[in-house]
Amino acid sequence: DAERKTFERSVAWFNNHALFLRDWRMGVIEGYQSKIDHNGRQYPRVWVRADCLAESAMVFAYAFALTGDLDMRYKATQIMEYVWNESEPDFLQRDPESPAYGLVNWYERGPVFYGDDNARVILPSLAVARLLGDSRWDERIVRCILANLRTTGRLGFRRNRIDRHQFDDGKHGWRKFASEEHVSYAPHYQSYLWAIYLWMHALTGDDVFLSRTLNAMRMTMDAYPRWTWSNGITQEIARMILPLAFLNRIDARPEHRSWLDRMAGELSAQMDASGAIREKLGPPGYGIFSSPASNEAYGVTEAPVIQQDDSPACDLLYTVNFSFLGLREAAGATGDLGIKQAEDRVADFLCRIQVRSEEHPYLDGTWMRSFDYRYWEYWGSSADAGWGPWCVESGWCNAWIASVLAMRCLGETLFSESLGPRIRSILPSLLDEMEIDLWR
């Protein structure tokens, strides 16, 4: 029962050290910073983000699914209400006359729309809606999916980031994004929206979610390894596995299976015997945030947790967490024994490196960013200006690791077709409202 106990300790951390109540809003902080003060304590990161909220709601929803504890259900519901509230919206773009209508803010009242952050609001929200059997957010979730879809270009790529001021004026100011031939070989930013569109196609049968998505995925696979990488190439590979797993759920033709096998093989090649996944830098000249080239460049921007490829460190904020999810979905989609064994090894590794601390209880039950599997210690380059090796991220890192452990305990995957009847019943009116015919 090691995985169940590991999940329970994570839930306890969310409940006791991340959860907050402000006015009527129940949410979670972003986590704890990597910096350590003169008393040996790390500062809480209290910035409130929509993705971290939805991902954390998913943890409480899985806790409810495993235990039937109504307090867990209540907390998942309240956090979802914070994200998707229409009467006092902190995150939701609710004005039908706005070209940003339906999108979710990156942070509280911050009209910035990263595709990957919107995706990591949508994916856990669909999971929560299913686990709780609650349809109250369905329309807003699907509208958000369509808002991202209609700001996706002709080739199936969406700009990595769109700010509110970049829209043209007027209700149809999103059309310029829909008509452009934008290309971004960056799975970190692109791939989880692709996974959502493929999932929506599986739920509804509507090809509007499929054609451009397949084109972008094919172009991206053809371009590998010449991808734009953020903090390393391993994280880009890890992100790509999820949409490929979903694609094989709906169309497992040999070409699609070969794409998935290639990415799973590339990831497994970086896996240590312990189950750790070694971080690796990408091709020179393609990195957004490469290792600092001088002392003066150290600590001034985002950066990898390694300085060079032979460092025995793995990144749980950008790579191992999403690898765990991807491998879970890929094993579920294919039944491949090798992929399942890789998933099991990562699960075993994560159970063994969960933080234990009596002296610092606000860290107990967490996973930090960078783990050195040679020293068997949380350690790595501190070059990243905001998220060093000892940071604790509630959403991206801890929520997904805990949730995948819960999926394993329940014997299920994130992908489920049980929401199909609910989604199909509301999709036609939302397609009309969002004018997706103009996009087609």
Side-chain angles (χ1 to χ4, degrees):
D1 61 350
E3 292 184 31
R4 176 70 176 258
K5 289 182 176 178
T6 301
F7 173 74
E8 290 172 351
R9 292 183 64 237
S10 179
V11 173
W13 175 79
F14 276 95
N15 201 41
N16 298 327
H17 300 288
L19 199 67
F20 69 80
L21 184 64
R22 189 184 72 214
D23 301 324
W24 61 267
R25 296 167 176 83
M26 181 176 287
V28 294
I29 63 173
E30 191 173 5
Y32 287 86
Q33 298 179 25
S34 187
K35 294 179 181 178
I36 300 172
D37 71 12
H38 62 286
N39 290 315
R41 184 174 177 84
Q42 293 167 231
Y43 293 107
R45 172 94 167 180
V46 298
W47 202 33
V48 185
R49 293 173 45 150
D51 51 354
C52 294
L53 291 176
E55 289 161 328
S56 300
M58 177 174 59
V59 175
F60 287 107
Y62 273 115
F64 167 71
L66 278 167
T67 66
D69 186 337
L70 294 178
D71 183 54
M72 297 292 103
R73 181 188 181 93
Y74 172 77
K75 287 169 179 172
T77 301
Q78 291 303 108
I79 297 171
M80 284 283 283
E81 283 294 290
Y82 190 4
V83 177
W84 295 106
N85 186 273
E86 288 184 305
S87 59
E88 298 181 51
D90 291 293
F91 298 101
L92 189 61
Q93 293 287 319
R94 64 171 182 171
D95 179 6
E97 298 303 313
S98 168
Y101 180 48
L103 294 171
V104 174
N105 296 338
W106 177 29
Y107 56 92
E108 200 170 32
R109 299 189 180 274
V112 176
F113 315 109
Y114 282 101
D116 67 305
D117 289 344
N118 263 239
R120 283 180 298 93
V121 173
I122 295 164
L123 287 170
S125 293
L126 288 169
V128 174
R130 177 184 65 84
L131 291 164
L132 302 187
D134 196 327
S135 62
R136 76 181 78 176
W137 309 288
D138 286 1
E139 285 194 9
R140 281 162 275 177
I141 295 170
V142 175
R143 185 180 292 115
C144 185
I145 294 171
L146 298 178
N148 280 276
L149 184 68
R150 73 180 189 177
T151 51
T152 297
R154 293 183 181 277
L155 299 178
F157 299 93
R158 186 181 184 275
R159 294 193 189 187
N160 296 345
R161 167 177 172 160
I162 301 175
D163 291 9
R164 177 61 183 84
H165 67 83
Q166 293 177 295
F167 285 92
D168 290 336
D169 292 336
K171 182 179 180 179
H172 299 115
W174 50 268
R175 289 187 185 180
K176 72 173 184 180
F177 300 115
S179 62
E180 66 183 358
E181 295 191 352
H182 180 72
V183 175
S184 175
Y185 297 132
H188 173 97
Y189 295 100
Q190 301 289 325
S191 63
Y192 276 23
L193 281 177
W194 296 337
I196 289 166
Y197 303 150
L198 293 169
W199 194 0
M200 286 293 291
H201 175 76
L203 294 176
T204 67
D206 196 317
D207 286 342
V208 72
F209 298 106
L210 191 60
S211 57
R212 294 190 185 190
T213 301
L214 275 178
N215 180 72
M217 291 177 67
R218 178 174 284 107
M219 289 177 64
T220 300
M221 290 303 301
D222 288 345
Y224 181 78
R226 299 178 306 279
W227 289 353
T228 300
W229 49 276
S230 292
N231 295 274
I233 194 65
T234 318
Q235 66 178 255
E236 307 296 334
I237 296 168
R239 290 287 188 102
M240 195 66 196
I241 291 176
L242 183 68
L244 291 173
F246 283 11
L247 178 60
N248 277 268
R249 289 277 194 180
I250 63 176
D251 187 352
R253 68 182 65 184
E255 180 186 31
H256 298 164
R257 181 59 192 270
S258 71
W259 293 346
L260 178 57
D261 287 345
R262 184 181 186 188
M263 290 295 98
E266 292 282 5
L267 193 68
S268 295
Q270 302 302 320
M271 188 175 290
D272 181 68
S274 66
I277 299 173
R278 182 171 62 92
E279 199 60 27
K280 183 180 179 181
L281 303 177
Y286 289 87
I288 300 174
F289 302 112
S290 191
S291 299
S294 66
N295 288 342
E296 291 73 23
Y298 191 92
V300 298
T301 186
E302 293 189 40
V305 297
I306 60 172
Q307 184 65 28
Q308 53 197 32
D309 280 344
D310 60 357
S311 300
C314 59
D315 191 328
L316 281 77
L317 178 62
Y318 288 109
T319 303
V320 180
N321 48 341
F322 298 124
S323 298
F324 194 28
L325 173 63
L327 291 170
R328 177 68 184 168
E329 298 303 310
T334 65
D336 187 280
L337 181 60
I339 295 175
K340 182 63 170 66
Q341 289 173 340
E343 176 203 340
D344 291 343
R345 288 167 64 190
V346 175
D348 182 67
F349 170 72
L350 291 168
C351 287
R352 287 185 288 126
I353 67 166
Q354 189 180 33
V355 173
R356 290 184 177 272
S357 178
E358 295 180 2
E359 186 172 354
H360 301 288
Y362 63 95
L363 300 176
D364 188 75
T366 65
W367 291 273
M368 295 178 174
R369 179 179 178 183
S370 179
F371 192 83
D372 186 311
Y373 51 87
R374 178 181 60 193
Y375 292 130
W376 207 250
E377 180 76 63
Y378 280 97
W379 183 258
S381 169
S382 293
D384 193 286
W387 296 100
W390 304 288
C391 73
V392 176
E393 162 70 38
S394 61
W396 295 37
C397 177
N398 285 266
W400 282 109
I401 292 173
S403 294
V404 177
L405 287 171
M407 293 175 205
R408 289 168 60 88
C409 292
L410 290 165
E412 62 182 40
T413 59
L414 180 68
F415 184 94
S416 168
E417 295 191 58
S418 63
L419 287 177
R422 280 164 48 180
I423 301 301
R424 287 193 294 272
S425 70
I426 62 175
L427 182 64
S429 62
L430 290 171
L431 288 172
D432 182 60
E433 177 191 40
M434 298 300 286
E435 302 181 279
I436 295 301
D437 279 340
L438 296 176
W439 183 90
R440 290 179 194 265

